[in-house]
Amino acid sequence: MNHITLALSKGRIFDETLPLLKAAGIEVLEDPEKSRKLILPTNQPGVRVVLVRATDVPTYVQYGGADLGVTGLDTLIEHGKDWGGAGSAGLYQPLDLQIAKCRISVAVRADFDYAGVVRQGSRLRVATKYVGIAREFFAAKGVHVDLIKLYGSMELAPLTGLADAIVDLVSTGNTLKANQLVEVERIMDISSRLVVNQASLKLKQQPIRQIIDAFAGAIGKN
Ligand code: AMP
């Protein structure tokens, strides 16, 4: 009953959360890249890690499949928009972990006149995984957009003529550069957040508080 389940996604978030877990005295005992297991034990018998898709972390935590999770602000906001009014109900967001930092930007082919399209009020075809964020951003600018939902390799869309622009995560900018795309707008800065199920926080207050406090103390130390 008092077990704690932490939802993480493989890759950047898992790797960058490990030092924070260590600060909380928690060590994951298996390498997710080598194991096929979806539930990973830790050195603390009462704490386990579940591996889920990045976009599923808010869902797991919101509905109590996990007590805590680490998720990008991009995923969290998009989750809130997908689920309408019930968006983030039950999801407590106590900490900006300042890991997996990047930004959500608009990018186009270097030869595309984005400023001209915006100025003239023409329609813009935008491919993105972040349909909710993109819709709101362009609506606020008064730009008419046709949104095309993609699940990956967004950079291909302007190169193949599928879209005029993309809305995607940018970190170093190397991926855009390698594909002859240029960043024309920064929509928002992104980092990963700790999210906690509100009922869990009440029912398992002591162990969860301990983890939140240890994470808080370790932020920015790596
Ligand atoms: P970069 O080439 O460093 O600008 O990285 C851009 C590529 O990495 C894009 O395909 C992004 O979707 C992905 N990316 C960058 N930062 C993150 C992040 N914090 N979390 C997940 N994916 C990211």
Side-chain angles (χ1 to χ4, degrees), residues 12-13 74 99-103 129-130 154-155 168-176 190 192:
R12 198 173 320 217
I13 285 183
D74 50 325
I99 57 172
K101 283 191 187 177
C102 57
R103 55 194 183 267
K129 178 161 87 169
Y130 303 105
M154 252 72 74
E155 298 82 9
D168 195 14
L169 300 180
V170 180
S171 177
T172 60
N174 289 340
T175 305
L176 292 182
I190 297 295
S192 291

Side-chain angles (χ1 to χ4, degrees), residues 108 112-121 184:
V108 298
F112 182 78
D113 182 14
Y114 176 77
V117 166
V118 171
R119 200 171 44 241
Q120 288 154 22
V184 287

Side-chain angles (χ1 to χ4, degrees), residues 140-159:
K141 274 180 78 75
V143 174
H144 295 287
V145 288
D146 294 313
L147 293 167
I148 301 171
K149 168 97 181 180
L150 288 180
Y151 294 87
S153 301
M154 252 72 74
E155 298 82 9
L156 258 182
L159 304 179

